[in-house]
Amino acid sequence: MVNTNEELNNQEFQKLEAEYNELMRQRLLKLEELRAKGQDPFAITKYDRTHTSKQVKENYDELEGKDVKVAGRLMTKRIHGKAGFADIHDRYGKLQLYVRIDDLGEEKLKAFKTLDIGDIIGVEGTVFKTKTGEISVHVKDFILLTKSLRPLPEKWHGLKDPDLRYRQRYVDLIMNQDVRDTFFKRTQIIRAIRKFLDDRDFIEVETPVLSPIASGAAARPFITHSNALDIDLYLRIATELYLKRLIVGGFEKVYEMGKNFRNEGIDIRHNPEFNMIEIYEAYADYNDMMKLTEELIAYVCKEVLGTTKVVYQGTEIDFTPPWNRLTMKEAVKKYANVDFDEIKSDEEAREIAKKLNVVDELKKDLKDCTKGDILVAVFEAYAEKHLIQPTFVLDYPVEVSPLTKRKPDDPMFTERFEAYVYGREIANAYSELNDPIDQRERFLQQLRERELGDDEAYMMDEDFINALEIGMPPTGGLGIGVDRLVMFLTNSYSIRDVILFPTMKPTK
């Protein structure tokens, strides 16, 4: 009888699982033996490391022939007879070790040979270069600091499944230098963003994550409950309305970088928990925000990568200012061959929606949609995907921009832009609406949109209206998706590749 592929796969899996379990059993036995000898590695609270692998390599001329104490995870071991080599990895990379019975003694070398890949050790020895020129440490003594009880997955196919890589990011980081590099670069990107804004006298602030109203964006929120107050609260979907309250309060130039939460779909561009930066500047408008956006991102590129040109998924992206600019109507005319200036009524626009097959993209019934609603749907279906190089899309319809000032010469449109790269939105900005009467009407319209079935429409925020009634100066505001920016600057395909612990459905 011939086994099916599924049966063979099951047999192979069972074999590997049995081997894995046996390795774990052997490692546990080694730990028990160490404890019986009074050498429990988990009882050690500290190791006085004098140098990292980076410091040893960068300061070789000074350290040659001198003793150092280094530490890291044992990743390879090549010992034959009375001598051999091993590699430890720390935060900065690999460092080679050379062990020899003449230096360690027979018992200590035997103990070194019993170490497992994945163990964390501290090593004392002399810095030297091998005949091949590799900077190494000639080991005089070592100590086991942490016993690894689970084998690393390289041999056991543990990292071929991307889902497992995200679930066990700690193993992913151990095994893949490029993954570590991505997250080190993420830190550099965030640091550069802050430096750019701090150098321009912006104030970094913190606003509530829990709020009685979910507002500042069109999104579905996560809901929780406060036992102390006996009220439902929302995890924030945006920081906008709190930051604009601070503009009212006289801060004038503020920003906040942190987590937002949206109870929506998960894909290569979306994670329910994500990092955003929002920036507000009094006495500025959306033109100033365009300049700020392109200058900030170009600065970050230069600081982190040394260039404003990056390659993303095989395509060169040039972040050098000035970026392309076109209105939403111009983009639709160019890519959908429809001139919305020639469309005079909502009824005509609805016919266009049918003709261009965008009815399913609308957030409410076609009969309830306006010309502006349909313009946005056509743009998203026909134009977005063509915006590969950094592009500002300007002047959004008032229907989809409830927090934005109208254009003085065309009040059906607003002073709003979104920035697109590789067909993806990475920034959204306005000349902020500061008329409390108009803002109340916009909120009321959003409530009507909710009644028509748009569950992402804004909620009424009476306290924010109150703040506007106190008086907010003309203000420019900007939001940038930090995770998406990191994706472009690290050539990462999925947002999960730039979030250390992305949201995952628990395994059974």
Side-chain angles (χ1 to χ4, degrees), residues 291-336:
K291 188 170 184 289
L292 180 67
T293 302
E294 60 191 4
E295 287 182 353
L296 186 157
I297 293 178
Y299 171 85
V300 171
C301 289
K302 289 287 286 184
E303 284 290 302
V304 177
L305 305 176
T307 177
T308 53
K309 294 181 180 180
V310 306
V311 175
Y312 184 72
Q313 303 299 298
T315 298
E316 183 176 84
I317 307 291
D318 188 355
F319 286 104
T320 307
W323 295 1
N324 300 326
R325 287 159 167 77
L326 77 167
T327 67
M328 180 175 282
K329 286 191 291 186
E330 288 169 344
V332 166
K333 186 175 181 179
K334 181 176 181 179
Y335 295 111

Side-chain angles (χ1 to χ4, degrees), residues 67 82-84 97-110 112 124-126 128 137-142:
D67 286 349
K82 299 181 179 181
L97 308 177
Y98 173 62
V99 294
R100 191 175 62 175
I101 194 169
D102 294 347
D103 306 296
L104 288 175
E106 186 176 345
E107 285 301 312
K108 200 74 175 180
L109 181 63
K110 181 180 177 182
F112 193 92
E124 187 171 357
T126 306
F128 79 109
V137 173
H138 190 141
V139 180
K140 293 181 177 180
D141 197 10
F142 76 92

Side-chain angles (χ1 to χ4, degrees), residues 249-264:
F251 274 29
E252 295 192 354
K253 297 175 76 172
V254 298
Y255 75 91
E256 181 170 12
M257 190 173 346
K259 297 288 189 179
N260 288 343
F261 307 86
R262 298 181 184 176
N263 196 358
E264 299 172 347

Side-chain angles (χ1 to χ4, degrees), residues 62-81:
E62 176 189 335
L63 292 174
E64 183 183 11
K66 295 182 179 177
D67 286 349
V68 295
K69 294 178 75 174
V70 295
R73 188 180 297 275
L74 186 66
M75 295 300 290
T76 62
K77 192 174 57 169
R78 311 172 298 281
I79 301 173
H80 305 285

Side-chain angles (χ1 to χ4, degrees), residues 342-354:
E342 298 298 319
I343 297 172
K344 303 304 180 184
S345 68
D346 293 340
E347 288 74 18
E348 286 183 60
R350 290 170 192 145
E351 290 304 313
I352 291 293
K354 294 176 187 175

Side-chain angles (χ1 to χ4, degrees), residues 379-397:
F379 167 78
E380 291 176 349
Y382 284 85
E384 268 188 8
K385 59 190 175 186
H386 297 288
L387 305 176
I388 303 303
Q389 294 304 317
T391 302
F392 292 119
V393 177
L394 318 178
D395 304 346
Y396 279 56

